[in-house]
Amino acid sequence: MSRDTIREELHGFVCDVARSAGELQLSRYERPGEITEKEPKDLVTEVDYLCEELLISRIQEFYPEDAILSEERGGEIAERGRSWLLDPVDGTANFSRANPLFCVCVSVVEDGEVTHAAVAAPRVGDLYHAYLGGGAYRSTGGKDGERVSVSDTAELEYAFTGADLSFTGLQSAGAESDPQKRGLREVFSTSWQLRALGSAGIRGAWTAAGYLDVSIGTRNTLWDYATTALLVSEAGGRCTDSRGEPWNLDSDALIATNGRLHDEVIQTLSGG
């Protein structure tokens, strides 16, 4: 079997398993089951666990030698070979209230590099997916995917910037002396409009599709950052950490843009 055939089969599986988890989410829309807090304001629902079990069982059935890192169950990324990163329900707070902005994030890492990604947003009806070197796509209603590309916005003052942050934290005592918080506030105030979607996976997919110009993530949540990194890069954008260094699995933040805005965003974040 050729490498191209193996890649195509793997990518098809990534898309199918993401769709399946999305269908499970949709079947429980407005019925999230028991909702608990892992930490204050960090929710997990019964559906998170059900989707996680579906994803892991399918991967173990077809790729039993692979490593898996999932948001709820944990796990690891293998130093060599293939690993899976899973966010069974990205946007759990939204899902718990029947807000339609939730999704499934599935990505594959091979020897430390993200090679496949899928974001299934079942209530919206879209599947975003990409593989390394093959472009980024949006499939709607089971149809073949159409290629997507980032926006052509060239100035931050005209940008739609997506982020999911606590404004309380940005305005708290001592925030003015925190260079990162000052930089974030400057990016937000300079941008034309701010979008806080409550789902990092959808935020990244929408940046790849040109609906947003900038996506800012300040936590190291690999299971949803990895999909953004590949989708945006394959759609013609750029992804780095907050210092402008290439994003990798150890980065503590993900700044994804259409590319044209990237230097201005990084300079603004750094207070330049």
Side-chain angles (χ1 to χ4, degrees), residues 28 30-36 44-47 50 95-96:
R28 294 290 299 267
E30 298 184 326
R31 297 187 300 114
E34 182 182 6
I35 302 172
T36 57
V44 60
T45 73
E46 181 180 312
V47 177
L50 291 173
F95 182 76
S96 72

Side-chain angles (χ1 to χ4, degrees), residues 150-151 153-154 207 213-214 232 236-239 256-264:
V150 295
S151 71
T153 304
T207 304
D213 307 300
V214 178
V232 172
R238 184 178 170 193
C239 297
T257 76
N258 65 358
R260 295 186 179 194
L261 292 168
H262 207 90
D263 288 342
E264 183 181 0

Side-chain angles (χ1 to χ4, degrees), residues 75-136:
E76 61 181 4
I77 299 175
E79 292 184 6
R80 295 183 179 180
R82 186 163 53 220
S83 302
W84 296 74
L85 302 178
L86 309 174
D87 192 342
V89 181
D90 178 48
T92 297
N94 286 347
F95 182 76
S96 72
R97 297 190 180 200
N99 179 311
L101 296 183
F102 57 87
C103 65
V104 183
C105 295
V106 178
S107 54
V108 175
V109 175
E110 298 181 83
D111 297 325
E113 187 170 32
V114 183
T115 58
H116 297 265
V119 172
R123 188 65 178 82
V124 177
D126 290 333
L127 173 75
Y128 294 87
H129 54 101
Y131 64 86
L132 187 63

Side-chain angles (χ1 to χ4, degrees), residues 3-236:
R3 291 186 62 183
D4 286 346
T5 300
I6 293 172
R7 181 192 64 192
E8 290 172 6
E9 288 189 355
L10 177 60
H11 190 68
F13 178 85
V14 169
C15 293
D16 287 345
V17 75
R19 281 194 189 97
S20 294
E23 289 168 359
L24 173 55
Q25 291 176 356
L26 204 54
S27 74
R28 294 290 299 267
Y29 189 58
E30 298 184 326
R31 297 187 300 114
E34 182 182 6
I35 302 172
T36 57
E37 285 187 311
K38 295 181 286 187
E39 296 179 6
K41 299 180 182 178
D42 185 5
L43 305 182
V44 60
T45 73
E46 181 180 312
V47 177
D48 288 75
Y49 295 120
L50 291 173
C51 288
E52 185 172 62
E53 178 58 33
L54 183 155
L55 292 167
I56 291 175
S57 63
R58 287 279 301 278
I59 293 166
Q60 290 178 336
E61 178 182 359
F62 290 93
Y63 299 96
E65 303 301 319
D66 293 359
I68 299 174
L69 174 62
S70 185
E71 181 177 10
E72 309 305 338
R73 190 180 295 188
E76 61 181 4
I77 299 175
E79 292 184 6
R80 295 183 179 180
R82 186 163 53 220
S83 302
W84 296 74
L85 302 178
L86 309 174
D87 192 342
V89 181
D90 178 48
T92 297
N94 286 347
F95 182 76
S96 72
R97 297 190 180 200
N99 179 311
L101 296 183
F102 57 87
C103 65
V104 183
C105 295
V106 178
S107 54
V108 175
V109 175
E110 298 181 83
D111 297 325
E113 187 170 32
V114 183
T115 58
H116 297 265
V119 172
R123 188 65 178 82
V124 177
D126 290 333
L127 173 75
Y128 294 87
H129 54 101
Y131 64 86
L132 187 63
Y137 299 83
R138 178 184 58 244
S139 299
T140 302
K143 297 180 181 179
D144 291 340
E146 60 176 353
R147 194 154 187 167
V148 297
S149 60
V150 295
S151 71
D152 59 3
T153 304
E155 297 177 59
L156 186 57
E157 67 175 306
Y158 291 103
F160 283 19
T161 295
D164 290 303
L165 299 167
S166 167
F167 284 99
T168 302
L170 290 179
Q171 297 172 346
S172 61
E176 194 58 39
S177 62
D178 185 321
Q180 183 188 59
K181 291 180 179 179
R182 286 203 313 271
L184 287 169
R185 286 166 57 179
E186 185 64 25
V187 169
F188 297 159
S189 63
T190 303
S191 300
W192 180 19
Q193 297 196 26
L194 177 65
R195 298 285 186 263
L197 306 179
S199 166
I202 291 178
R203 187 176 74 234
W206 283 9
T207 304
Y211 306 149
L212 299 175
D213 307 300
V214 178
S215 172
I216 296 178
T218 58
R219 298 178 298 168
N220 188 20
T221 53
L222 286 176
W223 33 80
D224 44 38
Y225 281 11
T227 56
T228 293
L230 187 61
L231 284 166
V232 172
S233 296
E234 289 296 325

